[in-house]
Amino acid sequence: VASSERYYWGLNSLTDEAVSNAEQNNDAIWIDAIPDWAHIKFENVCFSYGTEEVLNDVSFEIERNTLTAIVGPSGSGKTTLIDILCGIVRPDSGSVTVGDVRVSGISIDVWRGAIGYVPQDLFLSNDSILNNITLRDPALSRLDVERALKSAEAWGFVRALPQGLDTSA
């Protein structure tokens, strides 16, 4: 217990930080209001971590039903662009829109439920593959997980494991 105490206090601190940074999005619209043909547009987006400028006047569009790759050297802002798109951080200036609607005006829960995001920092809990993927969200079924794994070309690998989705990660 004593050797794990620092982890406990670290987790406690992160929990407190998460609670204090709870997202508020009371005047949001529902994603259903965004037309099917909507594209994503970054317009003059700037972002800094403290005094370190990461993005300066970034503008581009992602057309619907296209594959878009964001490439660049380490530290060039690729992850920050995605974090802004997901609503994890907000730009210092500029805008990100889906169709004609600002991402900041979409219900964050609905928006994040409509997109998939795999961060570059991987964390697996000591639990089944199923629970690591669903994060124990009761709204996600085994069939939902199977579909997601098939989309990610990972179903064959998981299905071949001794206990499939119930294999411990």
Side-chain angles (χ1 to χ4, degrees):
V1 172
S3 66
S4 298
E5 182 180 15
R6 68 185 176 111
Y7 299 111
Y8 169 79
W9 290 113
L11 182 60
N12 217 13
S13 174
L14 288 172
T15 302
D16 290 345
E17 183 181 346
V19 168
S20 70
N21 288 315
E23 296 166 326
Q24 302 294 320
N25 203 355
N26 299 331
D27 298 327
I29 64 160
W30 292 100
I31 201 157
D32 292 341
I34 298 171
D36 287 341
W37 48 263
H39 61 280
I40 297 169
K41 184 176 184 179
F42 279 69
E43 195 166 16
N44 307 109
V45 172
C46 296
F47 185 84
S48 298
Y49 290 103
T51 59
E52 182 185 346
E53 184 179 71
V54 179
L55 303 174
N56 182 12
D57 204 27
V58 174
S59 298
F60 63 93
E61 291 188 42
I62 301 172
E63 293 298 324
R64 185 176 191 276
N65 293 327
T66 61
L67 176 65
T68 302
I70 299 172
V71 296
S74 180
S76 62
K78 301 178 301 289
T79 300
T80 301
L81 284 171
I82 301 306
D83 287 349
I84 289 171
L85 179 62
C86 292
I88 295 169
V89 296
R90 295 190 184 240
D92 297 330
S93 61
S95 65
V96 180
T97 55
V98 179
D100 295 327
V101 180
R102 284 181 179 255
V103 168
S104 61
I106 301 169
S107 168
I108 200 70
D109 292 337
V110 173
W111 176 239
R112 288 187 185 150
I115 59 177
Y117 175 65
V118 179
Q120 59 189 3
D121 299 322
L122 182 63
F123 174 79
L124 294 175
S125 63
N126 187 18
D127 206 339
S128 68
I129 291 173
L130 176 70
N131 288 334
N132 269 280
I133 292 172
T134 64
L135 299 175
R136 294 188 173 268
D137 183 344
L140 297 171
S141 70
R142 293 178 80 84
L143 185 58
D144 293 328
V145 172
E146 183 179 328
R147 281 190 207 120
L149 288 169
K150 284 178 180 176
S151 292
E153 301 291 329
W155 177 240
F157 165 78
V158 172
R159 186 182 65 220
L161 293 171
Q163 296 172 319
L165 287 172
D166 297 313
T167 302
S168 185

